[in-house]
Amino acid sequence: MCKSVEERKTRFHEICGQTTFSPAKYINLIKKNRNYRMYVISHMCQHGGDWFVRIAALISVGRLAKGSSTALSMIVLCRTIPEMVISPFGGALADRFDRKMLMVRLDLVAAISVLSYMVAVYSGDVRLLFAATCLRSAIQALYNPVTSSIVPLLVPDAEDLKIAVTINGMIWSGMLLFGGWFAGLTSAKFGVHFCYLFDALTYVISAGFISRLDGEFTVNDNSKRKPGKDATTISTFNYVLQALQTVIRMNSELFRYIWHCGFGLLILVKCTGCLIWGPSDVLNVSFTHVEGSEAESSKRMGILYSFIGLGCLFGPIIVNSTFVHGKKPRTLQLSVIVAQLMMAMGWFGIACNSSSFQMICIFTSVRTLGSAIIWINSTLLLQNLSSPEFLGRMLGLEFALSRVSETAIALITGRLEDTGSSKQYIALMASCIGVISFTLWSVYHLLGLGAANDKWNEANNDKETLISHNGETIA
């Protein structure tokens, strides 16, 4: 009996690798890697401001649209549609140009764009608020693939990369945990205008730290355009046409890569996760609404988002310090599958306790344990498996597809609530989606597909020897 237990332990460590949570590893990575340290500070600034403006926008639309659930789903739509359409272009930019300079320039443009929110609030026109959200989201859509794809260049080692991505997730969650609470209190005391100004300031600071990265961060030999003799006289129309042709060509190469790489379906993991957590933006406003007291509603919004941050903070830490191993991608794939079941359980708990704000907060943390694991580890999967020349486009397409599903489910949620469906019914619907998704991905994993394939998990395998430049499997 004892021998059987020891054999199981040995087999578990063969599959997952020895991995324990060691704060020293996280601290040492930041201390020894200057470039990554600059990136971390930038990341903190950006996400701190992001949660301020997100909560301020939800409060603003609730005020301007008189609590309409359809209007709340529209603000989600305005955030996700530009990200859905423009993210692939961001991926193409990341694979073609210097990622550091792209981040600096997009940070500065984003800082200016945030001021459009203040115009919308002063005018009292909800349509201007929708337009401001579209503008900011379009810039964010270009930025996300760039900031995600620069991390493997800053932290090339696979195990260090796992730690770095976990740190990034902890920053996102920590900013949500404290930023959400502080943003709720700030908007209640000083108004939403302060939140928007704070967001603009954080973008400027972020640009300053990213500009201090040492070196160039270009991955494609063709990224430096070699102009011809008549390049200075080329017409604007022809320049735009050439740019579009380049984007089409690069995305054609991407789809060929996805078809041949052996893990192409993993680009849908985040997409299916968004289907499960998608109703939350609309429902969170309903859960925190207090009739006749806007200040109390703002405080509740901050408290609920702090509980969201709590779950997001600990989810990746738990799985990445127990059974996930950076050099064994099958453990990453297993973690995102388990996370879908956790989200289903969280939604079920919310459905059964929809009249208690305290219980909603607790089960929201359970739900976000899973959502954070999916958000971080689905990206880490692609960062581990994808060839560097295609990583920006892979992450851009992944992000766009996730926005498609989040947009669809948010619209459905808004319409269901406005037509009389209860919050309990919508939470149960989300729980059922989670169970179905968990079942389908479990079958995928058990069949040895994607990252569960042994070729990705053998100690001597290098992804560059497994995939050729055009994505065809050669091992």
Side-chain angles (χ1 to χ4, degrees), residues 327-347:
K327 296 181 180 179
K328 294 186 181 294
R330 67 155 58 91
T331 62
L332 286 166
Q333 183 168 291
L334 181 61
S335 72
V336 297
I337 295 170
V338 172
Q340 296 186 18
L341 183 61
M342 295 168 70
M343 283 198 292
M345 292 167 60
W347 276 122

Side-chain angles (χ1 to χ4, degrees), residues 36-80:
Y36 181 64
R37 186 164 63 250
M38 295 296 103
Y39 176 88
V40 163
I41 298 171
S42 165
H43 207 57
M44 289 175 66
C45 293
Q46 193 196 62
H47 284 300
D50 185 59
W51 284 112
F52 263 74
V53 81
R54 178 172 293 202
I55 291 175
L58 290 173
I59 293 170
S60 298
V61 75
R63 180 189 302 164
L64 298 178
K66 310 302 181 185
S68 167
S69 294
T70 300
L72 289 170
S73 62
M74 282 298 294
I75 202 75
V76 176
L77 182 70
C78 290
R79 193 172 70 234
T80 55

Side-chain angles (χ1 to χ4, degrees), residues 18 146-147 154 171 174-175 204 221 227 243 268 275 278 442 462:
Q18 297 281 354
V146 182
T147 189
L154 300 173
I171 292 169
M175 291 299 104
V204 174
D221 291 336
L268 298 176
L275 283 176
S442 294
D462 184 343

